[in-house]
Amino acid sequence: MTQDEPVRWDALDESLVTMLLADSRRSFADLGAQVGLSASAVKRRVDRLRADGVITAFTLRLDPAALGWTVEGYVELYCRPSTPPAAIRRAVEGLAEVVDASTVSGDADALVRILASDMRHFERVLEQIGAEGFVERTKSVLVLSPLIRRPPPTMH
């Protein structure tokens, strides 16, 4: 299978992935009871989904606000011509407050998501990013209320 080919899976695989997305600590026996399979059959399916790259990790989700990260914002980066994506990555990957960064289409060159403890903290991170030699300007928007936060859809 090449990286461009979507993984083939069935409704049972989708059900298992959906349940694991909701709670990745569920036992194979519990998952199997929900879909009518034995624990060993569920384990084989989960192992296959891991081998196929559908499941890349078992992790947990944190509530940033519960940890003191009360300010969230998105920053558009407008860079000097011919700035390579690797330069942008190097500039932001060391900043713990940067939780997502992507190159984008449109006028901006990249979009960065920042979590901060307060507005002054957000401003300091923004100043650090803006001080990079390749950054011509930035444009920020602050999140007031997250409306939808969910994992990607399971079926295509």
Side-chain angles (χ1 to χ4, degrees):
M1 176 179 323
T2 68
Q3 195 170 10
D4 294 336
E5 294 177 31
V7 172
R8 295 184 192 272
W9 68 347
D10 60 22
L12 283 175
D13 293 331
E14 181 182 9
S15 293
L16 292 170
V17 167
T18 299
M19 289 185 286
L20 286 169
L21 283 168
D23 180 2
S24 64
R25 294 187 62 178
R26 290 179 79 165
S27 70
F28 292 141
D30 181 43
L31 294 168
Q34 294 294 310
V35 297
L37 294 176
S38 68
S40 60
V42 170
K43 182 184 181 323
R44 284 192 300 275
R45 282 179 176 261
V46 170
D47 287 347
R48 180 180 44 79
L49 291 167
R50 290 184 73 194
D52 288 347
V54 173
I55 297 174
T56 59
F58 293 91
T59 126
L60 55 104
R61 282 180 285 205
L62 301 173
D63 178 358
L67 297 171
W69 301 99
T70 59
V71 175
E72 177 181 2
Y74 290 87
V75 178
E76 292 179 346
L77 300 183
Y78 297 84
C79 303
R80 297 195 190 294
S82 302
T83 300
I88 300 168
R89 177 192 316 245
R90 280 191 303 274
V92 299
E93 71 184 344
L95 300 171
E97 298 88 350
V98 173
V99 294
D100 289 304
S102 302
T103 55
V104 294
S105 63
D107 294 335
D109 296 292
L111 185 65
V112 176
R113 181 173 160 236
I114 296 172
L115 295 178
S117 58
D118 56 34
M119 285 305 297
R120 180 63 192 129
H121 184 192
F122 183 87
E123 186 177 24
R124 282 194 309 269
V125 175
L126 186 57
E127 288 169 355
Q128 284 180 275
I129 293 170
E132 293 291 332
F134 61 83
V135 175
E136 289 187 334
R137 70 184 177 95
T138 62
K139 180 180 175 185
S140 305
V141 293
L142 296 174
V143 173
L144 300 177
S145 297
L147 301 176
I148 298 175
R149 297 273 166 100
R150 60 181 165 213
T154 55
M155 291 300 279
H156 24 270

